[in-house]
Amino acid sequence: MARRNTRSSNGSPDGPAAPRNRTPQPLPARRRSAGDFVKAFLAFVALAVLLVGVPGALAYFVGWPLPDGAPSLDWLQQEVTVGTFVNVLTVVVWLAWAQFTACVLVEVKAALSGVGMPGRVPGAGPSQVLARQLVAALLLIGATAAGFAPGLSQFGQSPEGNQQPAAAAAQRTPGLFAPEQRGAAAAADAVADQAARAADRAGTARDGDTKFYRIQPPEGRHHDSLWEIAERHLGDGRRYKEIYQLNKDREQPDGSRLSEASLIRPGWIMEMPADAHGGELVEMPDEAPKVPEKVREQISDYAKTGDAHRGGGARQGGDRKSDDRKGGGSVDRDTAHITLPEQRPGSGEERDGGRGDGQGHGRGDGRGSGEPAAPAAPERGTEAASDGFSFGLPEALVGAPLLAAGLLGALGRRRRHALWQSAMGAVGGRRCMEPPTPTGTAADAQDALLVGADPEGVRLLDRALRGLAAALTAESRALPTVYAAWLSNGDLHLQLAQPAGRPPAPWQLGQDQTFWMLTRADAEAYEDVDAAAPYPGLVCLGTMDDSRLLLNLEAVPGIVSLSGAAADRAAVFASVAAELATNGWSDRMTITLVGFGRDLTPLAPNRLRHLEDVEALIETMTAETRQRRGALGAAGHDSVLTGRTGPARHTRWAPHLVLLAAGPTADEAADLAELAADASRLGIGYLVGTDSGELPGAAWEMEITADGRLLAPLLGLQLAAQQLPDALQQAVVELFTAADPDGGDGDDDSTGGAAAPPFLVDVSEQGRPAVYARLVGTYEIIGLETPDGERSPLMHEALALLLLHREGVHPRVLASALWPRGVTEDVRDALVDRVRAWLGSDQDGTPRLRADASGRLTLAPSVVCDLDVLRSLYHEATQGRGAANRAVRGRLLTDALVLVRGPLLADRPQGRYGWLTHEIVDARLPLLVADIGLALSEFHLEKGRAEQAIEALTAARASAPADERLWNELLRATHATGDQDRLRALAADLVARSGARGLPPRTEALLDELLPAWRDGLTAVG
């Protein structure tokens, strides 16, 4: 796979690196100049004055500043004199002196012991910097200065460059040095020129200037990176590419190699450019007495690999690319970063965990756990139109099973909520609101969601991650930092930032210590556990060799940048935003969107929020960063990962993900880089678009191409990107807007559908259908012979799906519903032909199964089900003939209630009808039955027939036991009987059913009206 050109150490993008010595040679001893002795003398005088002179002067001129005895109330009420003020100032000066003295002692101890990372004195930032430089100047003439002072050329200047050693700099608080960093960002061009000149100097360095750096272990879950090393020791993080080129493909002490610049492991050795500076660098490994012997040996051995690396590095890298994956892009086996997991041997059926029975739950095209399988239908444009019903669907949704499952689940919840809101709000004329029927592009988008969604894969992913968190908590182990997750052939691979030991069972180690793997069979054995979602920031970016990559945005040590054309970037950003807003493996989350052309808030109003510009984003995130850092410190956690396993896991540490689609300015980019420096520890992730491809603070750089490929050369990735183009964004938003009970009147096609009248049938004696199916209760068909053979259940299921969708069913939707694990086009067409032949034709010769103008399969009006009759009877009773004729209304409502024989498809076989999880008919049917029962109760109460009303409500309650309206009307009907004991018993039963949630407010108010002493009498009744 092609990689982005990287500047070589001599400053040329393509030219060879200048030769340099690869064997550590003793450097000539630095000769002390007169200036060195002068600086050392002045430092000694300054230290003497500050350490001895200040306390001596205080003791001589002021004396003891504190009172001789304990203060009394009279003492506190005395007037504040000048002497009192002087004494207070003296105490402050004594405290400052003690703090400075502690800083000096810490720095001297670190210098004399050879430790390059002295401890930090709390609250002593400037004092410790001053103490460090004075001690460094004093010790310059001693043997320890070489390993202690970051460079005396900076003595007396700004301490930015040398106040933080490696690990301490990694924990530097963003915002502490904001003015200086903003000034540096404003001079970005000058910094770039300086970096180029430094690279040129590095390319012509003398042999003896070779320096090495040993990667430090993480502290506070903040991992070292080449960018930060370059920032500390080269003055510009963008020079990380020079370090990468110097060390690329060279064998490290642990036997692995640096193959990608975006991750390095603790203990690795990095050769540095000659102009690198800092106290952690080793220039003379063979003569560095303060460096452990083992480390000196490792550096010496590593230095000897330099010449071989320069001569054959490119060839080795090329060989490895060709060997790792035959016929594919490059995969780096030697890095612990974003690497394609190795596939388990065995057939596809074995990799799917043994589920070869073709059964599933709601899958669209059979991709287990989000993985592509054999095509369930051809791609768009490949199907022939001659069959009368085949046509394409938006492949961006069909090929995104996790995104489609999230959107489909959220849409279903929105529609259920709308149904309930409509039912509760219909006080005068009770009716069952029919959800709007999508049309046009919205209908295509809904069908694509039905085809592509993999709710089973989402469920397994969620259970697996929560189960892992619960197991680690039980073992008192912290959650490991996860950079990415791969869904590959039904298995789940977690890629860790660093080795974290053996995972808890049933998890197992993957291809190396940084991979934890869970097979699909083991994932299916997981049950729901009470654990917070450990990695809610995982979001799918695309596929690579049939493996689906989920990147953990909140774990990235910095910014993830995305370059490319504006429209292509917007499609990727919209996909990421939609999946994060609706995914099923997270609890709470905040997603801030900036620079989005379309408002995506309707997808998840509780998660998504739009900000106007980058300035508002920076202001918001500055406050958020400060608040989270303080909260973590107060809770005693080093990162949100440890916080999520604690007692407050359900109320804190939800991720905050920032998606900035429009490219920021140079100053804004610098501010964002400062905020993102500590973001991964705080559970904040940044995905930022850029036009140039260069973004300060970008830890991972990605590019979206015009042909839909997502390239990340430094990560070794070349993905088929997951996108949500603008037209699909509009269609999906329309679906959610139409389902919103407050989103409009629902009769405008532009809102994604029209609230058209439901499919109604003739309920008179002359309206007998040719084919009648009973779906409410046990499944029965009248008017057709039962098909023989094993195909009968499949044909019955196909007919049930068509009966529940009178608007028409897309052939691909039908195929994905009946064959969740995938099916070929010829098998699907054969089934359609069998069902068409089974249903036969009407008297005029028209087939009862036909295709409409849009290609969707529809049933003739002569084929009906009891749900159609039930809906028609209620409509006729309340809005048709029964509205003007009371006797007709009572008869129609009674007939309707008799049709209710149980739940929908009560005897459906195990493993089939999984597509019902996508439907809201399970919510519509109880509401419809409740509406019928309420209308019939009202009919009887008008004539004072309370017992008949109670009978009707009780029958309806069997299908809708949780409907608050039925219980309220049952209380009214029981009160109408005048039997107070019966009313108290009903109230007690209702309270017992409500459990810990308590009674709804409306029900409590009704009981207060009908039975004022109901609270006092419940105990006696119980």
Side-chain angles (χ1 to χ4, degrees):
M1 181 181 63
R3 299 181 183 273
R4 183 177 300 166
N5 289 337
T6 305
R7 179 180 293 273
S8 62
S9 57
N10 65 354
S12 173
D14 301 311
R20 41 176 98 193
N21 181 30
R22 297 299 156 214
T23 304
Q25 299 292 334
L27 294 178
R30 188 180 183 277
R31 303 180 64 179
R32 279 76 172 179
S33 63
D36 294 336
F37 286 96
V38 171
K39 289 180 180 180
F41 175 74
L42 293 177
F44 173 77
V45 172
L47 286 173
V49 170
L50 293 174
L51 296 178
V52 181
V54 169
L58 291 175
Y60 180 79
F61 291 105
V62 180
W64 183 251
L66 299 177
D68 297 331
S72 61
L73 183 60
D74 295 338
W75 181 81
L76 294 176
Q77 294 175 348
Q78 292 178 1
E79 182 181 357
V80 177
T81 63
V82 175
T84 304
F85 182 72
V86 170
N87 288 336
V88 172
L89 288 181
T90 303
V91 172
V92 173
V93 174
W94 272 108
L95 293 175
W97 172 84
Q99 184 186 61
F100 179 76
T101 303
C103 293
V104 172
L105 295 176
V106 168
E107 297 297 329
V108 170
K109 178 181 181 297
L112 295 179
S113 63
V115 177
M117 187 169 54
R120 299 181 60 183
V121 179
S127 298
Q128 190 162 4
V129 172
L130 177 61
R132 181 177 307 162
Q133 295 202 13
L134 290 175
V135 173
L138 179 62
L139 298 181
L140 179 66
I141 59 176
T144 61
F148 177 81
L152 280 181
S153 60
Q154 300 173 352
F155 177 68
Q157 302 176 7
S158 172
E160 262 182 280
N162 60 3
Q163 71 175 353
Q164 297 275 14
Q171 299 180 11
R172 184 173 56 196
T173 301
L176 187 59
F177 302 103
E180 292 84 352
Q181 293 184 2
R182 280 194 290 269
D189 293 338
V191 173
D193 293 339
Q194 178 184 0
R197 290 194 298 270
D200 293 339
R201 291 195 303 271
T204 57
R206 293 180 293 109
D207 290 347
D209 287 339
T210 304
K211 301 174 183 178
F212 298 89
Y213 174 83
R214 189 169 186 265
I215 307 302
Q216 301 297 317
E219 290 201 4
R221 292 195 178 275
H222 192 107
H223 301 268
D224 218 344
S225 68
L226 290 186
W227 178 284
E228 293 176 341
I229 295 172
E231 196 172 49
R232 293 195 302 271
H233 300 294
L234 299 177
D236 185 0
R238 287 173 291 186
R239 292 185 62 188
Y240 77 93
K241 300 176 182 179
E242 300 175 36
I243 307 176
Y244 172 66
Q245 286 297 325
L246 284 174
N247 300 275
K248 178 184 177 183
D249 295 329
R250 295 170 66 178
E251 186 174 355
Q252 293 291 338
D254 61 359
S256 56
R257 300 172 187 269
L258 174 66
S259 300
E260 299 300 335
S262 49
L263 181 70
I264 49 183
R265 298 182 183 177
W268 279 10
I269 308 298
M270 293 289 114
E271 181 180 343
M272 302 291 290
D275 62 330
H277 56 80
E280 297 166 307
L281 301 179
V282 177
E283 296 181 351
M284 302 173 295
D286 294 332
E287 297 182 1
K290 298 301 181 181
V291 178
E293 177 66 24
K294 182 179 180 181
V295 176
R296 283 192 286 131
E297 292 178 357
Q298 290 177 350
I299 296 177
S300 297
D301 294 340
Y302 183 76
K304 296 174 182 178
T305 65
D307 293 334
H309 164 67
R310 287 288 171 262
R315 178 189 61 79
Q316 294 168 2
D319 293 343
R320 212 170 36 253
K321 290 177 185 179
S322 62
D323 292 340
D324 282 340
R325 276 187 321 171
K326 303 295 184 182
S330 66
V331 173
D332 299 296
R333 302 295 188 191
D334 298 327
T335 177
H337 212 46
I338 309 303
T339 307
L340 189 67
E342 294 179 352
Q343 307 300 317
R344 288 190 294 136
S347 65
E349 182 174 319
E350 291 171 349
R351 287 193 299 267
D352 286 332
R355 292 184 58 185
D357 57 355
Q359 308 299 325
H361 301 276
R363 272 294 306 127
D365 53 359
R367 289 189 291 273
S369 199
E371 305 312 321
E379 298 298 319
R380 181 190 300 189
T382 63
E383 293 185 343
S386 60
D387 59 9
F389 55 78
S390 294
F391 57 101
L393 289 175
E395 297 298 332
L397 290 175
V398 173
L402 303 183
L403 170 62
L407 288 172
L408 195 60
L411 182 61
R413 291 189 295 271
R414 186 71 54 84
R415 287 175 171 172
R416 287 179 173 85
H417 178 71
L419 282 174
W420 182 250
Q421 290 292 99
S422 174
M424 294 302 297
V427 178
R430 298 184 180 89
R431 59 184 178 84
C432 181
M433 167 188 159
E434 289 293 320
T437 301
T439 59
T441 57
D444 290 342
Q446 177 172 281
D447 286 341
L449 293 177
L450 290 168
V451 172
D454 183 14
E456 177 70 4
V458 171
R459 185 184 68 86
L460 293 179
L461 175 62
D462 180 50
R463 285 188 172 183
L465 294 177
R466 293 180 192 268
L468 174 64
L472 290 172
T473 301
E475 297 178 4
S476 299
R477 296 171 60 184
L479 287 168
T481 299
V482 170
Y483 277 149
W486 289 93
L487 293 170
S488 183
N489 292 316
D491 298 337
L492 173 60
H493 303 256
L494 295 184
Q495 193 159 0
L496 313 184
Q498 63 177 4
R502 294 199 63 83
W507 291 78
Q508 52 190 289
L509 286 175
Q511 60 203 57
D512 59 36
Q513 294 290 325
T514 61
F515 273 91
W516 285 4
M517 191 265 289
L518 183 71
T519 66
R520 183 184 178 98
D522 290 332
E524 290 174 340
Y526 263 114
E527 298 180 354
D528 293 331
V529 295
D530 182 21
Y535 305 112
L538 287 170
V539 63
C540 183
L541 295 181
T543 57
M544 183 176 179
D545 286 0
D546 293 335
S547 294
R548 192 167 299 276
L549 169 65
L550 287 84
L551 183 67
N552 191 4
L553 281 180
E554 65 168 336
V556 177
I559 292 175
V560 179
S561 68
L562 179 65
S563 60
D568 298 326
R569 290 204 320 260
V572 174
F573 272 95
S575 170
V576 171
E579 184 168 301
L580 288 173
T582 60
N583 74 60
W585 54 88
S586 64
D587 296 322
R588 298 181 305 110
M589 184 185 300
T590 300
I591 307 165
T592 299
L593 310 180
V594 182
F596 279 63
R598 187 171 301 280
D599 184 11
L600 300 179
T601 306
L603 303 184
N606 294 330
R607 286 192 178 186
L608 290 172
R609 66 175 180 179
H610 284 258
L611 294 182
E612 294 182 359
D613 49 34
V614 184
E615 181 180 357
L617 172 66
I618 293 175
E619 179 181 356
T620 301
M621 297 313 300
T622 299
E624 175 83 1
T625 300
R626 185 183 305 112
Q627 187 273 334
R628 286 191 172 228
R629 188 181 294 114
L632 277 179
H637 299 304
D638 56 357
S639 76
V640 295
L641 288 180
T642 56
R644 283 179 188 155
T645 57
R649 62 181 183 271
H650 293 296
T651 58
R652 291 187 181 181
W653 323 126
H656 188 159
L657 303 176
V658 176
L659 307 182
L660 174 56
T665 64
D667 290 342
E668 293 169 343
D671 290 339
L672 288 173
E674 176 189 345
L675 289 171
D678 199 30
S680 62
R681 187 176 68 90
L682 304 176
I684 303 176
Y686 292 87
L687 178 62
V688 181
T690 174
D691 298 320
S692 63
E694 295 288 341
L695 194 67
W700 294 346
E701 297 176 347
M702 299 184 180
E703 177 186 1
I704 180 65
T705 64
D707 58 353
R709 291 181 302 140
L710 190 65
L711 308 179
L714 293 180
L715 303 179
L717 296 178
Q718 182 173 333
L719 305 171
Q722 181 172 294
Q723 297 177 274
L724 192 63
D726 184 71
L728 275 183
Q729 295 177 43
Q730 179 179 358
V732 170
V733 170
E734 287 176 357
L735 289 173
F736 280 81
T737 303
D740 191 343
D742 301 323
D745 53 14
D747 55 7
D748 186 357
D749 287 346
S750 65
T751 63
F759 173 75
L760 301 177
V761 299
D762 186 358
V763 294
S764 65
E765 291 294 330
Q766 294 75 27
R768 290 184 178 275
V771 178
Y772 180 68
R774 292 177 176 174
L775 304 181
V776 183
T778 56
Y779 191 0
E780 301 176 8
I781 298 180
I782 301 174
L784 290 178
E785 295 292 336
T786 302
D788 295 330
E790 298 179 354
R791 297 190 180 97
S792 178
L794 200 62
M795 296 171 66
H796 278 75
E797 185 175 356
L799 179 57
L801 177 64
L802 292 167
L803 285 167
L804 293 176
H805 290 275
R806 304 303 305 217
E807 74 278 6
V809 177
H810 193 289
R812 295 181 70 177
V813 174
L814 178 68
S816 65
L818 300 182
W819 291 279
R821 301 191 65 80
V823 68
T824 55
E825 183 180 358
D826 57 337
V827 175
R828 178 200 66 189
D829 294 345
L831 173 73
V832 173
D833 292 339
R834 290 191 190 94
V835 175
R836 183 182 290 116
W838 179 39
L839 292 176
S841 302
D842 287 331
Q843 293 181 354
D844 59 359
T846 304
R848 291 175 181 143
L849 177 61
R850 62 195 71 169
D852 63 11
S854 65
R856 288 174 168 81
L857 299 170
T858 61
L859 292 173
S862 59
V863 181
V864 301
C865 67
D866 53 357
L867 188 59
D868 299 327
V869 176
L870 190 67
R871 189 187 302 111
S872 301
L873 286 171
Y874 176 71
H875 183 273
E876 188 70 14
T878 56
Q879 303 179 43
R881 292 180 294 124
N885 189 318
R886 188 177 185 281
V888 172
R889 182 168 72 253
R891 178 174 55 82
L892 292 174
L893 291 173
T894 302
D895 291 344
L897 201 56
V898 171
L899 286 178
V900 181
R901 301 176 300 122
L904 187 73
L905 296 169
D907 60 343
R908 58 179 179 264
Q910 182 72 23
R912 301 213 67 89
Y913 296 86
W915 47 270
L916 281 173
T917 59
H918 296 314
E919 307 288 338
I920 63 168
V921 66
D922 59 339
R924 290 163 56 191
L925 178 59
L927 285 176
L928 177 59
V929 174
D931 285 340
I932 295 172
L934 291 169
L936 188 56
S937 170
E938 183 180 18
F939 170 80
H940 288 304
L941 287 177
E942 288 175 355
K943 294 295 184 178
R945 296 193 292 264
E947 291 297 339
Q948 287 86 338
I950 292 174
E951 183 180 351
L953 292 169
T954 302
R957 200 181 64 179
S959 295
D963 197 310
E964 177 187 350
R965 301 171 301 160
L966 289 176
W967 283 98
N968 291 348
E969 288 302 312
L970 189 58
L971 288 171
R972 291 188 179 97
T974 305
H975 178 266
T977 63
D979 190 343
Q980 293 295 307
D981 293 336
R982 188 176 179 183
L983 182 60
R984 290 190 186 93
L986 179 61
D989 184 27
L990 182 56
V991 171
R993 290 173 180 268
S994 64
R997 295 175 300 175
L999 294 176
R1002 295 185 184 184
T1003 304
E1004 280 196 1
L1006 179 61
L1007 277 174
D1008 289 337
E1009 173 67 22
L1010 301 180
L1011 191 65
W1014 65 277
R1015 291 182 176 86
D1016 300 332
L1018 289 181
T1019 304
V1021 173

